[in-house]
Each structure stands twice: as C-alpha cells, then as structure tokens.
Amino acid sequence: MDEQGWTAVVASAIRAPSIHNTQPWRFTAGPDRLDVHLDRERALPVLDPTSRQQVISCGVAVEFAAVALAAAGRATEVELVPAGERSDHLATVRVTGEREATEEDRALLAAIEQRHTDRAPFLPRALPGALLDRVQAEAGGLGVWVKPIDRSEEEVATVFLLSRAEEVEQGDPEYVAELQRWLRTDAAAEDGVPVETVPSEDPATRPSNWLIRDFVVGTRGVHETFLPEGDPAAPPPEVERPTVVLLGTDGDDRTAWLLAGRALGRLLLRATVEGVAASPLTQALDWPATRTRLRSRLSLVGYPQMLLRLGYPSVPGQVHAGRRPVADVLRFTPA
Ligand SMILES: Cc1cc2nc3c(=O)[nH]c(=O)nc-3n(C[C@H](O)[C@H](O)[C@H](O)COP(=O)(O)O)c2cc1C
C-alpha cells in the first residue's frame, strides 16, 4: 500500500466515534501494515482514568481501517497487542494479499461516511429482528455479546443506574469542567463535541425513559431547565421507546476493550446500512460503582462495555462532528 492508499484508509479510520470526540489515536503505516497507537495526550482523566472508553474508540478505528482496506481490495489480518510495559501500541492491521471487493464491502465503506451519533428522539418503529441477529452473530465472532435490554425489570434497573450516574456526574465539578473542555461552539472545530449535535433542552425533560448524556450541563439557565415548553393543556407527548443494547465481554482487559470497539464499529456500520442510527449512553459505565451494580442487577456473566440506543432517525441532515486532518495523526515508516 502506498502513502496515498494509507491516507485514504486512515481518513476512514478516523471517522470512528470516540468518547467526547477526543480522537485518541495515532497511526504509523509501513508498506504492508498499519499500527494503531493510543494518544495519551488526549486522555480524559476524570471520566475515563483507565482509558477503557478511549481504547474502545481506537478499537472502532481499527475496524473502520479493516473495512476500508477490504473495500480497496486488500485481505487483512488484525493483531491486537496485549497491554504491557505501558506500551501505547494497541493493534496492527496487516495487509496479507489481494481480494475482490464485494458490494457489501463498498456498502460498509459508504456507511463510514454516513454514520454519525444521533442524539435526537427516534421514530416509533421497531428494528428488523434480522439486524439484531446479524450484529449479535458478528460480535459473537469477536467474543463480544450484544444483549437487548428489553425485559421490563432489566430496563428499570438500567434506566435507574443511568439516571443515578448522570446525577453524580452533574454534581462533580471536575467532570463538568472536563466535559466543557471538549464541548465546541465553533462548527468547524476539528475535535470535541459540537454544541449543534447535542440537544439544547435538558435531557431529563424529554419524554423518554432513556436519559442521554447532558453535554451542556452548567451552562443552561434555570428557566430553560425547569419550564417545559408548549401548551400545558396539550396531551402528553408519546414516550420514545428506542431499542437499547448492551455490548459486553467475558474479560475486562485491554484486549477485551479493543474487541468491544471492533464489534461496536461493525454494529454501527451494519445499522447505518439499514438506515438505523445510534447514540451511546455510557454514563452508567463511566463509574466503577454503577458499572458494578449494572453487572449484578442484570446478572451479567462478564463486563458491560457499551450501552447504545438504536432507532430510525427523526431529524434529517444533522451536523457531523469534525475530525483532525489525517496528516496530524499519520506517520509513514520507511520501506
Ligand atoms: C466509548 C464511547 C462512549 C461514548 N459515550 C457517549 C455518551 O455517553 N453519550 C453520547 O451522547 N455520546 C457518546 N459517545 C459518542 C461520541 O460523543 C461521538 O462519537 C463523538 O462526539 C463523535 O461524533 P460522531 O459519532 O457523530 O462522529 C461515545 C462514543 C464512544 C466511542
């Protein structure tokens, strides 16, 4: 693969979602390999002190690189590097030969460009069962389970822990300060979460059981927080009922986090191909206390890594979060 080829592959890899759009990655490309590194200078010490969520983000970038290589007619092998000796080298995507790119490869590549996190309410329309079956099978191939949260007692327990975690976060000035450091008001920003992509209303006032992360906490006026808009005599709005899935792994080490990221990347692209949007709801997984309680309340064998709402978009033409240029994150090693 030449430098131009790798530039195109990395342009796809960096479309990966990342916690607070930190884009915590660096890449080095050689003739037949792409190494993916964790960039610790972009860490979130309050929200993600173990870098678990940043490693998951890098796992998605690994998967997107593999998808781009497949669509470019390359056969690949992915090697995950176990944690050790403080190494930031997470994974290598190795080109092992050529192959015929399929229609499906091209559809997944197109989905990388189309996908974005959609935090608006979803339409009241069930997802096709075949989509869930397929993402469960693909994730299973990577050792990752995908559990729909569809039984009412599981939903109640998960919603409670999510709300509790959000409440703890909003009361933590260090958490709020870190969140505000990654919120962007400039639409052309190359990283961070653009304010146009997060709802301006308080998520707690939304008619939904599932509380999305509040990115503008601390900046909203009291009247905006407490006074619902509209006619007080109008019937209550329909409650949003998105599909919510939990991704998890048997272990909880760096390899497990990378596998969770790869499975998440695959799932998001399959969903996008089907016209289905997603947004993570990871507040309950940010904190050891709520994450541990989620394990016990849902009787999970293994570790929850990602909670995700899925559904059909209700708001077309949304703003996409920016990315740093490829040249800032890619280095070439001599042949
Ligand atoms: C591990 C991980 C955790 C995330 N957690 C949340 C979350 O709790 N709430 C949310 O709204 N978005 C969450 N996101 C989405 C990111 O904010 C989003 O990917 C980033 O801003 C880039 O935007 P994009 O996905 O539209 O490209 C998460 C993403 C990842 C990879």
Side-chain angles (χ1 to χ4, degrees):
M1 199 89 178
D2 61 14
E3 293 194 2
Q4 203 184 351
W6 281 125
T7 300
V9 168
V10 172
S12 294
I14 63 174
R15 293 305 318 166
S18 60
I19 179 80
H20 289 5
N21 200 17
T22 46
Q23 304 167 41
W25 41 61
R26 286 184 299 106
F27 302 85
T28 45
D32 62 354
R33 61 185 285 163
L34 180 71
D35 294 316
V36 183
H37 306 266
L38 181 65
D39 184 347
R40 293 195 190 269
E41 291 188 4
R42 307 182 68 80
L44 295 173
V46 181
L47 174 65
D48 192 22
T50 61
S51 300
R52 183 183 66 84
Q53 299 197 60
Q54 290 204 318
V55 170
I56 291 176
S57 310
C58 291
V60 185
V62 168
E63 193 61 23
F64 282 13
V67 166
L69 283 162
R74 302 296 199 284
T76 57
E77 265 171 23
V78 176
E79 291 165 25
L80 303 181
V81 183
E85 295 305 303
R86 297 186 46 78
S87 158
D88 295 336
H89 179 199
L90 298 178
T92 299
V93 185
R94 206 178 286 281
V95 176
T96 54
E98 306 221 331
R99 65 194 282 282
E100 190 82 32
T102 63
E103 268 313 301
E104 187 174 289
D105 296 329
R106 284 188 277 272
L108 291 175
L109 179 66
I112 289 180
E113 281 304 312
Q114 291 156 12
R115 185 216 63 84
H116 63 93
T117 298
D118 184 345
R119 301 180 181 89
F122 294 139
L123 297 176
R125 187 170 144 203
L127 301 194
L131 174 63
L132 280 179
D133 292 346
R134 181 153 195 190
V135 299
Q136 282 177 321
E138 284 190 330
L142 291 164
V144 177
W145 42 263
V146 178
K147 175 182 168 56
I149 307 293
D150 51 8
R151 293 189 15 230
S152 76
E153 65 277 19
E154 291 184 338
E155 181 176 319
V156 168
T158 310
V159 164
F160 171 76
L161 291 172
L162 194 62
S163 310
R164 178 79 193 111
E166 180 71 36
E167 193 186 336
V168 170
E169 291 183 327
Q170 293 190 12
D172 178 347
E174 289 187 7
Y175 165 86
V176 173
E178 187 178 78
L179 185 71
Q180 286 175 353
R181 270 201 297 283
W182 288 96
L183 189 67
R184 300 286 181 264
T185 47
D186 173 5
E190 292 174 348
D191 64 6
V193 181
V195 74
E196 295 92 338
T197 66
V198 300
S200 54
E201 87 274 14
D202 181 349
T205 62
R206 188 188 273 196
S208 176
N209 291 345
W210 296 98
L211 196 59
I212 64 164
R213 191 186 292 275
D214 190 359
F215 284 89
V216 289
V217 57
T219 60
R220 202 180 286 114
V222 172
H223 60 289
E224 292 169 73
T225 311
F226 293 111
L227 282 185
E229 282 176 14
D231 175 3
E238 200 178 335
V239 173
E240 185 207 25
R241 302 207 55 88
T243 296
V244 174
V245 294
L246 182 65
L247 275 67
T249 47
D250 293 344
D252 198 28
D253 55 9
R254 198 170 86 172
T255 304
W257 303 341
L258 285 166
L259 288 168
R262 290 191 61 195
L264 172 65
R266 252 306 118 166
L267 181 159
L268 292 172
L269 298 185
R270 287 275 174 230
T272 305
V273 168
E274 299 293 328
V276 171
S279 79
L281 300 162
T282 57
Q283 303 96 311
L285 310 184
D286 295 342
W287 307 103
T290 42
R291 189 167 177 235
T292 305
R293 279 181 72 192
L294 190 68
R295 284 188 73 200
S296 62
R297 292 295 300 276
L298 302 191
S299 307
L300 300 175
V301 181
Y303 296 84
Q305 303 293 358
M306 166 60 69
L307 190 70
L308 203 60
R309 59 193 270 284
L310 294 164
Y312 290 94
S314 65
V315 182
Q318 296 180 18
V319 171
H320 288 205
R323 294 296 188 272
R324 291 178 295 154
V326 171
D328 285 10
V329 296
L330 173 62
R331 297 283 168 270
F332 296 102
T333 53

